[in-house]
Structures are given as C-alpha cells and as structure tokens.
Amino acid sequence: MLEIRNLHVSIEDKKILNGLNLTVHDGEVAAIMGPNGSGKSTLSYVIAGKEDYEIHDGEILLDGENVLEMEPDARAAAGIFLAFQYPLEIPGVATMTFLKAAMQAQRKARGEDELSTAEFMKRVRDQAGHLGIPQDMLKRGLNVGFSGGEKKRMEILQMALLEPKFCILDETDSGLDIDALKIVSEGVNRLRGKDRSFLVITHYQRLLNYIVPDTVHVMAHGQVVKSGGKELALELEANGYADYKTLAA
Amino acid sequence: MPAVKETVEQVKAIDVDQYKYGFETELEVDKAPKGLNEDIVRLISAKKNEPAWMLEWRLDAYRRWLTMREPTWARVDYPEIDFQDIHYYAAPKMNAAPKTIDDVDPAILDTYKKLGIPLREQEILAGVQQSKVAVDAVFDSVSVATTFKEELKKAGVIFCSISEAMREHPELVQKYIGTVVPVTDNYYATLNSAVFTDGSFVYVPKGVRCPMELSTYFRINEKNTGQFERTLIIAEEGAYVSYLEGCTAPQRDENQLHAAVVELIALDDAEIKYSTVQNWYPGDKDGKGGIYNFVTKRGDCRGKNSKISWTQVETGSAITWKYPSCILRGEGSRGEFYSIAVSNGRQQVDSGTKMIHLGKNTTSRIISKGISAGYSQNTYRGLVSAHRRATGARNFTNCDSLLIGNNCGAHTVPYIESKNGSAIFEHEATTSKISEDQLFYCMQRGLSEEEATALIVNGFVKDVLQQLPMEFAVEAQKLISISLEGSVG
C-alpha cells in the first residue's frame, strides 16, 4: 500500500526527517509512536502534501506511484486521507456543503459520476448516525464552535464518506474524553478492511487499546528506530521513550 | 511555493481581460460639447423638455457647486479631475423618443442582450428567468427603454425614467426631489443636481405591494462622458417595493466619472429594498483607466414603522466613494445595510453607511464584508448616531474584512455618536486572512486551490448574499468569483 524510502525533510533549514523508511501493507493498521519532536506530525503532513516542507531526498509510493510530485488535492483523490490533530474552522460554510463539495471534487478527479443528492444525504445520515453526530451540527459552519471531541468525530465522518484507502490519524486521541475516544475508535474500526490501511500516530498506548494495531513503529530523531507487534506499545508504556531518545543520536 | 504565496502570484498576474463587459457599442451620438457652464445646464434641461422650476433648481445647484470644494477625507488617492474635460450629455441619436421597444436602435438592444439584460418583454417571458423583472435601461445620459410599464400601471405603480416623470408627474417629482439629499449635501451631489441627465422614478401608491422586482441597468458607453443619474423612489403608506440596480462600462484607458444621487422615501409602514450589483470597469492591473464612482445614496424612513434596506455588491470601479444611508425619522422605523465590497488590482474602495437615529425605538443593522486582494485598499467607513430624542434606538454593526495576499489593505473607520442615554449600539469587527492551513485542509479533502478559495470566500460573504433577491444572488456570486479570478475559480 504505502512505502516510504529514505525520506529526508526539513522545514526552515531545520532537519526533521532523516532517511525515514516505512512500509504499510494492504489492510494493515500501523501505529507510529514517539516522543515530542520526533517528526511524527511532519511525516503525516509530508504524506498529505503540505507545502511548507523541503524534501531533500527519498520517495513516498502509494501503490507503487510516487506521490511527492502531486498536489494535495490529487493525493486526496488518489486515496490519502489525513485526520488532522487540529481540524480547521471554515466559517459560513455549512458542514453539509463542505462534505458534498469534497466528495464531488474527488469523484470528478477520479472520473466518476456525481453522486445524486438523495444518495449523498443517505450516506451522510447513516455515517453521522454511527458517530452520534446530530443533524443540526451538519448545518453549522464546518468545525465552527465545535468542541474538541466534535471536531474529531467530524474528521472520522469525513473519512467514512470519502472512503480513502490510506488513512492517517494524527493524534486523534488528543483532547478526547473516554466516551469520545470510544466513539471515534469504533468509527475507525468499522472502516478497517483488507483494502484500507491506517497510519495511527499517537503519544500514548491508550488509543491502541481501542484501535488495535498490527504493527508498531517507534520514531526518534526523524527515523523509525524500532518496529514490532502490538506488544511493543505496551513495552513503551512501561519503559517510556528514554531508551530511544539516545538510540539514533 | 506555499499556497497563499502562489495565490498572490496568480492575483498579480490577473489581466483586465477578465472584465467581460468591456466592449463598446458603435452608435451615432448626440453629444453636448465638453465642459460645464450655465449654457450646458440649460441645454440639458432643454433636451429633457423640463418645466421651468427644474431649470431654476439646476442653475441654483450649479452656482452653489462653483463655491464648493472636492472632499478629501476619504482614503482614496487619484489625480485631480478636470471637470471641463467631460461631456455632460451624450445620447444615442434617435428621431423621436422611442414609443415602443421596436423604436429602439437595434444596436442598443443588442448591447443589453450581450450584457444579459433582454429588454423585449416577450423575450423575458420566454427566457429562462422564472420571475419577471421590469427593467429601465439607461444608456449614457438617457433612458432607452422601460419594460412592463403597462402591467405595473394596472397595479398603480409608476415606473419610468425620471425625465418622463418630470413631464408626466411633475407634482410628484417636485414634492420629493432633493428632500432626502439636499442640493448642497456634498460636492458630487450638488454637481449631480445641476447636470443629472436620467435615472429611474418609482412611485408605489398606498397599500400596494409592487407585483414584480424593478430594476435599472446603467451602461456608460461614450468616451469622456460622465454619467450623472438620479433615482427617486417613493413608497406610500403600507407600500412595498424591491428595486435592483446594475452597472457596467467599456474598458478604456481614461478614467470616467460617475456621480449619481439616489433618494428613497418610505412613509408609514412602507418598505423599500434596494439592491445594487456594481460592476463598473475597474481599470487594468496597473490602475490605468476605470470608473470614478462618487455616489450619494440615502433613504428617508419618514413614516412610522417604515423600513429601508440597502444591499450592495461592489466589485467594479477604480475608485468607489459610496455610503448608502438611512435617516430613521419615523417612530419604530428600521434601516439595514448589507454590503460586500471586493477589491483587486489597484482598486480603492471607501464605502460604508450612515444610520441616523432621530425617532423613538428606531433600529438599524449593518453587516459589511470587505474582501481585498492584489494591491487594493478597502475601507469601511460608517456612522451610527442617535439624536437626543431617539429613545430606545438600537444598532448592531458587524464589519469583517478578509485579506488575500500580502499587498492589500483593509481599514475600518466607525464613527459612533449617541446623545441619548438609552441608545444601545453594538459594534463587532474582525480582520482575517485566508490561511494557508485552511487552504491545505480543504485541499486535503480533494478541493483544488481555486475551489477551496471560492468556498472560503463564499462562506465569508454568505450573510449578505442571502439578502439579495435570488436571481441577483447567483449573479453576484459569479461576479465575486470573476473579480477574484486567479485566486478564485
């Protein structure tokens, strides 16, 4: 599904990623853990195509195709989805309007027919129902005045509707209470399937109790320094990141 | 290159070609010689077959104008205007005033058709437009056609050019003209009073709800010509009318002057809704050419519980100097001002409103949205005042500015004066920039950069667009997109 080879990235002359390698297979849920400043969020932005970063070397292949030359909207249409740690507010644009614009834009980019309004409404209602998102929230400006938990649920709703093949969850657990965490995790688990892979970025093992990963990768100093199964997360929880902070330095 | 930076590059690269109404119509023209003096004023009055009192009124205005100075307080910068270098009257040559639409020069009908304004009633009825809109078409200095006059007459509504009103309904014109915007109100209004050539006249009698939208479409065609139109709208007790105004001009290297006066009068329980989509030629990317738009618009809520509402979408003109205002005289009367002002290239906008609360329990609401791009400067200037007898006056003002790129400016200059302790005035203002993060967020969901910008801008102006009549809202939305082309799809 996704293969990152020897990725070197800097922002404002500060080197963030130092030859990162990572492979995520079809249907795999990979967790990325690591201390603050290890480059986890940078990795998610670079995959999605944020423009502030300078890429010195390396490639990111989605099903064998290098996405680094593609605009963010083209990457989205190709199936990359990033659930933001801090979703942006778009005042005056009803959530419903935004969802429809995004879905139609991706369909158009892939050469698919427009979705009928009836079908669109049905899908939104179904998915919003699963996530406990009330109808009146869909009429409000996107993310405007939403609580932290509501914003995260809205990210998962978008993910469910856009049906991407590669989903990145950037610290989706931050700012969530336990009930919201459950709802969001169930939303993610419902989307798991053999053709869809996930990259779950988190500080804490807690989220991985709900979204159980197939693999866990530890990041430090802009590299993946250790990989293992889900038990690696428990080990980190017990021992902290101290060992890894020195490992790559 | 970061997204916003790229947007700026694109805005910079905008060419004038995006102005879609810049063509010129070749016509034989009856034109007054250049310059302004008493003879020109007499000539205009004679061309219009005006009553003697009107000529005296004009001459009085002209003499007063000679003693006045151009105002300099607005945040706009332009070379001095040579008022002797302008033609004050230009009209397409016609043997007689056109009696029916078939007497109108086909070239003029074509011009309006090209602008998307069909003037033949059967074409309007057969067209895609679902609702009927009556149109008064003003071409340079004269009104060339007014549609649906007969149908409106049945309802008792008078809708015609002001020249015709002066001949057919002199008592109404004399009673109301200059009562809202006095002859000496300001430099441009005084000039207009002396040399105004045409414009629309609307009279809605007591208790009548005007059966269709009325509109005037202004077109400047002739070179070196100023357009000075005058519009007068009167809604008698309990009457209602919704009026729309649109404007375009050819693309030229010289600046042209447009100085209009609009007066609205609402008596007891009457309501006037006045909407403008202003799209005069804005000049090219270096600021060459474009219309100087110096306009005085004012509504007088003369009666109890009357209501006047201004909605404007301003995308054109090199310079805009315009403050549609409400005098809230009648007890319980209400004034509203909804505005979207878009500036790009080297455009300069200084616009806003005045809400003058004189009567008890008067209320007003101001929603202003300014969008600046390119190297433009966009100023909101507004006055809210309460007279000492305006007990219970209330105003709510919301001014938001959106910046696209790093070379433009947005300014908010509110004046608030209250002489009555019970008045409650609220003012909110924000200035924001389309952030790179917002654009990235939208693009991550699959929207192109242009779609994303358009979506964000549309969200920003939504509150005001909702106030426009349906057909105009769609046009306005398109216009905003065209004005920001390069940054918006």
Side-chain angles (χ1 to χ4, degrees):
Chain A
M1 174 73 73
L2 190 89
E3 198 177 347
I4 300 174
R5 290 184 194 149
N6 190 34
L7 192 61
H8 290 265
V9 173
S10 66
I11 182 164
E12 288 165 1
D13 296 329
K14 193 172 170 237
K15 199 81 187 289
I16 309 283
L17 299 183
N18 294 296
L20 181 131
N21 292 294
L22 178 72
T23 302
V24 182
H25 298 102
D26 290 358
E28 182 179 323
V29 175
I32 297 252
M33 302 185 73
N36 285 329
S38 58
K40 302 191 300 293
S41 282
T42 296
L43 175 63
S44 66
Y45 284 143
V46 170
I47 297 172
K50 197 162 194 248
E51 294 190 345
D52 311 344
Y53 300 94
E54 196 176 338
I55 293 155
H56 304 281
D57 201 4
E59 51 188 11
I60 299 177
L61 305 172
L62 180 71
D63 288 334
E65 194 185 352
N66 193 357
V67 301
L68 284 177
E69 293 303 311
M70 292 159 71
E71 290 292 316
D73 50 328
R75 297 189 202 193
I80 291 175
F81 182 93
L82 170 61
F84 281 61
Q85 183 178 2
Y86 304 108
L88 277 294
E89 299 186 359
I90 316 283
V93 178
T95 301
M96 209 62 148
T97 308
F98 181 83
L99 294 174
K100 194 165 183 190
M103 281 174 83
Q104 304 296 25
Q106 289 204 15
R107 294 178 74 87
K108 199 173 147 199
R110 290 193 293 258
E112 297 164 14
D113 286 342
E114 269 202 13
L115 207 60
S116 74
T117 302
E119 177 60 24
F120 166 74
M121 296 296 284
K122 186 179 171 297
R123 290 190 193 183
V124 174
R125 256 198 310 271
D126 286 355
Q127 297 296 346
H130 288 314
L131 291 162
I133 294 172
Q135 288 293 311
D136 71 297
M137 213 166 118
L138 298 171
K139 292 179 192 143
R140 283 157 55 189
L142 180 66
N143 292 328
V144 178
F146 290 11
S147 71
E150 287 172 331
K151 286 182 182 173
K152 295 295 169 71
R153 269 189 275 171
M154 201 52 81
E155 293 293 286
I156 306 303
L157 173 66
Q158 294 181 46
M159 191 164 95
L161 291 169
L162 293 168
E163 303 180 318
K165 54 185 176 191
F166 190 77
C167 309
I168 308 162
L169 304 176
D170 189 5
E171 311 244 357
T172 294
D173 49 334
S174 68
L176 290 190
D177 61 32
I178 198 76
D179 295 327
L181 186 65
K182 274 186 187 160
I183 294 173
V184 166
S185 306
E186 281 163 15
V188 172
N189 288 330
R190 211 175 301 118
L191 295 173
R192 289 174 78 152
K194 63 176 172 39
D195 299 320
R196 182 171 292 138
S197 309
F198 291 83
L199 193 64
V200 182
I201 294 173
T202 181
H203 271 296
Y204 304 108
Q205 198 272 337
R206 185 179 74 155
L207 176 68
L208 304 180
N209 289 334
Y210 298 94
I211 303 171
V212 180
D214 301 304
T215 50
V216 174
H217 305 273
V218 183
M219 247 181 104
H221 306 286
Q223 292 176 345
V224 171
V225 290
K226 187 169 185 181
S227 301
K230 62 182 177 220
E231 63 291 343
L232 182 56
L234 293 168
E235 191 189 312
L236 283 170
E237 182 84 347
N239 302 333
Y241 293 116
D243 297 349
Y244 301 101
K245 279 183 179 164
T246 51
L247 202 70
Chain B
M1 186 166 20
V4 169
K5 208 160 134 202
E6 197 169 322
T7 305
V8 175
E9 296 300 320
Q10 286 171 339
V11 171
K12 275 189 203 154
I14 290 181
D15 199 38
V16 286
D17 292 347
Q18 69 194 46
Y19 189 74
K20 307 220 174 2
Y21 311 98
F23 63 89
E24 186 179 344
T25 311
E26 292 270 344
L27 284 170
E28 261 198 274
V29 177
D30 177 11
K31 203 159 41 171
K34 266 189 188 172
L36 183 54
N37 52 50
E38 291 203 4
D39 287 343
I40 293 287
V41 177
R42 286 174 205 281
L43 177 120
I44 291 169
S45 189
K47 289 270 181 204
K48 306 262 162 203
N49 290 323
E50 286 173 356
W53 63 265
M54 196 66 233
L55 174 61
E56 282 312 310
W57 197 78
R58 287 176 180 275
L59 287 172
D60 177 49
Y62 174 67
R63 288 166 197 147
R64 284 167 183 259
W65 180 72
L66 289 175
T67 68
M68 295 168 86
R69 286 233 160 118
E70 235 178 304
T72 52
W73 44 261
R75 204 178 191 289
V76 292
D77 184 33
Y78 55 95
E80 213 180 316
I81 298 170
D82 181 356
F83 289 93
Q84 296 304 332
D85 195 34
I86 296 171
H87 294 281
Y88 286 83
Y89 182 83
K93 263 205 178 123
M94 291 179 281
N95 293 330
K99 288 209 172 51
T100 70
I101 198 82
D102 297 317
D103 300 335
V104 177
D105 189 330
I108 295 176
L109 292 180
D110 269 0
T111 302
Y112 282 94
K113 213 169 172 181
K114 252 178 164 168
L115 296 168
I117 318 285
L119 294 180
R120 291 176 185 277
E121 292 180 13
Q122 59 270 39
E123 278 173 21
I124 301 168
L125 294 172
V128 283
Q129 268 175 295
Q130 290 301 307
S131 57
K132 266 190 273 179
V133 178
V135 178
D136 182 24
V138 176
F139 198 84
D140 290 331
S141 304
V142 291
S143 164
V144 291
T146 310
T147 61
F148 293 111
K149 259 160 112 171
E150 286 309 309
E151 198 170 329
L152 287 165
K153 208 167 160 187
K154 275 182 217 150
V157 175
I158 302 170
F159 180 41
C160 61
S161 71
I162 195 138
S163 310
E164 189 181 331
M166 219 108 64
R167 294 189 297 266
E168 308 288 325
H169 312 282
E171 70 299 339
L172 284 174
V173 177
Q174 194 168 13
K175 184 173 173 190
Y176 290 106
I177 196 167
T179 64
V180 187
V181 178
V183 168
T184 52
D185 189 78
N186 69 71
Y187 189 77
Y188 301 106
T190 307
L191 174 64
N192 175 286
S193 301
V195 300
F196 76 87
T197 44
D198 224 331
S200 299
F201 176 81
V202 177
Y203 175 81
V204 189
K206 192 171 167 179
V208 171
R209 198 180 163 86
C210 187
M212 62 181 93
E213 304 267 354
L214 305 183
S215 79
T216 301
Y217 200 91
F218 295 99
R219 173 76 176 169
I220 300 178
N221 189 58
E222 266 306 295
K223 228 185 192 155
N224 301 321
T225 302
Q227 190 174 52
F228 304 91
E229 91 261 6
R230 184 124 197 158
T231 292
L232 179 58
I233 299 178
I234 303 137
E236 288 271 13
E237 277 170 48
Y240 169 85
V241 62
S242 169
Y243 177 92
L244 323 166
E245 166 197 70
C247 352
T248 58
Q251 208 164 302
R252 295 186 199 287
D253 288 347
E254 308 85 39
N255 296 108
Q256 277 181 287
L257 180 63
H258 174 258
V261 171
V262 175
E263 297 178 280
L264 312 181
I265 296 138
L267 301 180
D268 288 359
D269 301 305
E271 181 177 349
I272 301 173
K273 197 170 152 62
Y274 192 106
S275 314
T276 305
V277 174
Q278 185 264 109
N279 188 21
W280 296 116
Y281 176 55
D284 71 6
K285 63 179 190 313
D286 300 320
K288 197 166 187 199
I291 302 288
Y292 290 167
N293 193 30
F294 297 99
V295 172
T296 306
K297 292 184 167 178
R298 197 172 301 152
D300 188 356
C301 286
R302 214 164 271 186
K304 273 189 291 182
N305 300 319
S306 54
K307 182 178 167 188
I308 288 178
S309 165
W310 298 100
T311 304
Q312 59 170 21
V313 177
E314 303 278 318
T315 60
S317 298
I319 292 173
T320 301
W321 182 99
K322 181 183 174 191
Y323 316 90
S325 305
C326 296
I327 300 168
L328 304 167
R329 203 186 300 272
E331 194 178 324
S333 59
R334 179 169 175 81
E336 290 175 344
F337 175 74
Y338 300 100
S339 169
I340 299 171
V342 183
S343 57
N344 200 349
R346 301 273 172 179
Q347 282 177 274
Q348 304 175 61
V349 180
D350 194 300
S351 182
T353 184
K354 288 189 270 187
M355 292 291 173
I356 299 163
H357 293 258
L358 301 179
K360 275 188 194 140
N361 298 320
T362 46
T363 56
S364 60
R365 183 178 159 90
I366 298 169
I367 308 283
S368 163
K369 306 277 183 180
I371 302 169
S372 339
Y375 288 85
S376 66
Q377 295 295 330
N378 204 323
T379 303
Y380 167 83
R381 189 184 300 278
L383 166 72
V384 180
S385 75
H387 190 261
R388 64 187 167 76
R389 267 176 268 172
T391 305
R394 289 210 65 152
N395 164 269
F396 174 77
T397 299
N398 175 288
C399 288
D400 295 330
S401 308
L402 187 69
L403 300 165
I404 302 178
N406 293 323
N407 300 308
C408 52
H411 318 272
T412 303
V413 191
Y415 303 83
I416 298 172
E417 298 167 1
S418 177
K419 295 192 177 120
N420 185 301
S422 69
I424 302 174
F425 293 165
E426 289 174 74
H427 183 96
E428 287 177 3
T430 65
T431 301
S432 54
K433 231 177 123 167
I434 294 190
S435 77
E436 229 169 274
D437 287 342
Q438 275 178 322
L439 282 176
F440 173 62
Y441 185 74
C442 295
M443 290 175 77
Q444 207 300 306
R445 300 303 186 247
L447 299 170
S448 68
E449 186 173 336
E450 302 223 319
E451 287 168 331
T453 311
L455 193 77
I456 295 168
V457 168
N458 279 327
F460 178 73
V461 300
K462 196 182 80 177
D463 296 349
V464 176
L465 278 185
Q466 280 172 342
Q467 299 298 327
L468 284 172
M470 197 56 156
E471 308 84 30
F472 254 36
V474 175
E475 191 192 328
Q477 204 165 354
K478 262 191 262 168
L479 201 56
I480 293 167
S481 297
I482 292 169
S483 302
L484 292 171
E485 207 155 81
S487 58
V488 179

